[in-house]
Amino acid sequence: MNVLGIESSCDETSVAIISDDILKANLISSQDFHKKYGGVVPELSSRAHLQIITPLVKDALKKAELNLNNIDLVCATAGPGLIGALLVGLTFGKGLSYSLEKPFIPVNHIEGHIFSGFLMEEKPEFPFLSVVVSGGHTLLLLVKSFTEIKKLGSTVDDAAGEAFDKVAKMLGLGYPGGPKIQSAAEKGDSEKIKFPVADLKDPYNFSFSGLKTSVLRHIQKNHPDRKINQNDLNNIAASFQKAVVKALIKNTKKAIENFDVKSVSLVGGVAANKEIRNSIAELAQKHNKKIVIPRLEFCGDNAAMIAFRGKTLFESGKRYDLNYAPFPALSENQYS
Ligand code: KG4
Ligand code: ZN
């Protein structure tokens, strides 16, 4: 079976092809021009998706040495994400499915991330604990099978990636902030400043907005003119990153202790972070759990995870019609 996947939820257009469990192509085109605006501009994002999607599909087919008539299943991200951006990939996928007379599967972007560990050689084993850390979401989930996902907790305010991006902005590092904070942190001392880790009533929920404010207060107090020398900047980045690691470890540890899981999988854009990868891996190993963290290509937004997730839904008997509408956000009670 040849599965074509399309991802266009934010600032990456991606097209992938999976042929009989083998990933034949995973092309990702990143919209770097948003950098100069300090964040993603939705309208520009939709237009850029529209320009690149047709050539990207052609290139993916070429890479996989297939043509359109060989495609048996079309999958595209339906949400959550920017509505205009989603519409481009989703509508393109529906059109393709209609003209090829092949089934169409709308895919939840978060579920793409959740199962992205299956793109690796060593795959998660059910039941597994999924730690989803992306630009828009921070979730702790108990995944029992491809169709049973239970939410243990989520962020009550900012997502982890959002906190990285906002702190990077405060430090004048630009967008996206995650990789920039990481490289500044590598040169800094994480013990220099004690930033707080939220203590919430629900042990599986996260909060990063207090941490973000406390970084701001630190800057206002110690660098009122906003001129931060490189050394201080590195220390702030390292201390902030350490607080995020602590928050993720605290909740993940509780969940490992309280639920009988076989594996732990860390996924999403923020899972590219070296410190976070190392700390979660160490925690899982300490508890004798298999750890699966996708390689960088599958951490950020990509269509390989969308094709894979769509394929599992199709194989479990799910069918959808072409009226399926895009959705900008997860519903509050999703997975509860
Ligand atoms: O999953 P993703 O590509 O998009 C969403 O679905 O949101 O995640 C993007 C997020 C951004 O906030 C970005 O700053 C963050 O992932 N990120 C990182 C790193 N690389 C990307 N955060 C921390 N460290 C990194 N190395
Ligand atoms: Zn994502």
Side-chain angles (χ1 to χ4, degrees):
M1 183 162 79
N2 296 315
V3 184
L4 181 102
I6 299 170
E7 156 65 30
S8 73
S9 65
C10 190
D11 56 350
E12 260 93 28
T13 321
S14 179
V15 177
I17 295 173
I18 296 179
S19 301
D20 300 329
D21 295 331
I22 296 168
L23 180 63
K24 289 285 179 72
N26 182 37
L27 304 184
I28 303 168
S29 166
S30 294
Q31 305 173 353
D32 290 333
F33 59 82
H34 293 293
K35 276 183 185 144
K36 63 173 178 278
Y37 304 104
V40 178
V41 183
E43 181 56 26
L44 297 182
S45 161
S46 315
R47 289 181 200 198
H49 285 304
L50 202 52
Q51 277 178 345
I52 197 83
I53 193 150
T54 305
L56 214 54
V57 168
K58 283 187 181 156
D59 289 351
L61 287 166
K62 201 166 159 195
K63 180 131 198 258
E65 296 177 346
L66 294 171
N67 62 54
L68 267 185
N69 293 323
N70 302 125
I71 299 300
D72 304 298
L73 177 68
V74 181
C75 313
T77 305
L82 302 170
I83 200 74
L86 288 165
L87 260 173
V88 176
L90 188 69
T91 311
F92 192 96
K94 287 176 179 177
L96 212 51
S97 141
Y98 183 76
S99 62
L100 297 173
E101 297 181 23
K102 290 291 152 63
F104 176 73
I105 306 275
V107 174
N108 178 318
H109 179 87
I110 299 303
E111 291 173 19
H113 279 303
I114 292 171
F115 296 108
S116 58
F118 287 84
L119 296 165
M120 300 295 287
E121 213 115 282
E122 280 293 325
K123 301 173 193 328
E125 283 172 47
F126 293 114
F128 69 88
L129 194 66
S130 176
V131 188
V132 182
V133 278
S134 74
H137 298 85
T138 301
L139 294 157
L140 204 50
L141 304 150
L142 182 60
V143 187
K144 295 184 187 164
S145 71
F146 282 124
T147 50
E148 279 174 285
I149 303 171
K150 194 174 164 24
K151 181 162 88 179
L152 303 178
S154 61
T155 181
V156 297
D157 40 56
D158 291 354
E162 210 174 335
F164 268 95
D165 294 336
K166 287 178 179 167
V167 167
K169 207 168 195 173
M170 290 175 205
L171 295 172
L173 293 174
Y175 178 87
K180 294 192 170 144
I181 296 266
Q182 174 176 314
S183 59
E186 276 163 14
K187 293 163 239 139
D189 177 357
S190 64
E191 300 298 325
K192 210 74 191 173
I193 311 151
K194 290 270 171 293
F195 288 128
V197 175
D199 204 3
L200 303 175
K201 218 161 75 200
D202 189 317
Y204 304 121
N205 277 347
F206 300 91
S207 165
F208 294 105
S209 116
L211 168 60
K212 181 189 67 186
T213 309
S214 128
V215 174
L216 182 65
R217 296 274 175 272
H218 176 89
I219 296 172
Q220 286 169 335
K221 187 165 165 237
N222 298 284
H223 310 276
D225 54 0
R226 290 286 175 129
K227 286 199 188 87
I228 312 172
N229 71 49
Q230 195 60 48
N231 199 34
D232 288 348
L233 188 148
N234 294 344
N235 291 339
I236 295 172
S239 305
F240 159 77
Q241 184 175 270
K242 175 91 179 247
V244 176
V245 168
K246 274 192 187 160
L248 293 174
I249 290 291
K250 188 166 87 146
N251 295 17
T252 308
K253 182 168 183 285
K254 266 246 157 66
I256 292 178
E257 286 166 354
N258 290 340
F259 295 92
D260 193 16
V261 292
K262 290 214 171 83
S263 326
V264 176
S265 190
L266 173 75
V267 296
V270 183
N273 185 280
K274 249 194 242 163
E275 278 301 311
I276 298 178
R277 292 173 84 88
N278 292 341
S279 319
I280 295 280
E282 196 183 310
L283 173 74
Q285 276 147 8
K286 221 189 260 169
H287 288 79
N288 293 318
K289 307 294 178 195
K290 181 176 182 177
I291 177 77
V292 180
I293 308 176
R295 64 171 186 263
L296 298 195
E297 175 190 4
F298 306 132
C299 285
D301 292 344
N302 68 89
M305 68 181 192
I306 302 304
F308 180 81
R309 177 53 178 158
K311 186 170 179 273
T312 61
L313 289 171
F314 184 76
E315 285 169 347
S316 63
K318 297 265 196 270
R319 296 295 180 268
Y320 302 85
D321 65 39
L322 294 178
N323 291 331
Y324 200 96
F327 56 95
L330 284 184
S331 72
E332 197 46 49
N333 55 7
Q334 193 126 13
Y335 312 127
S336 52

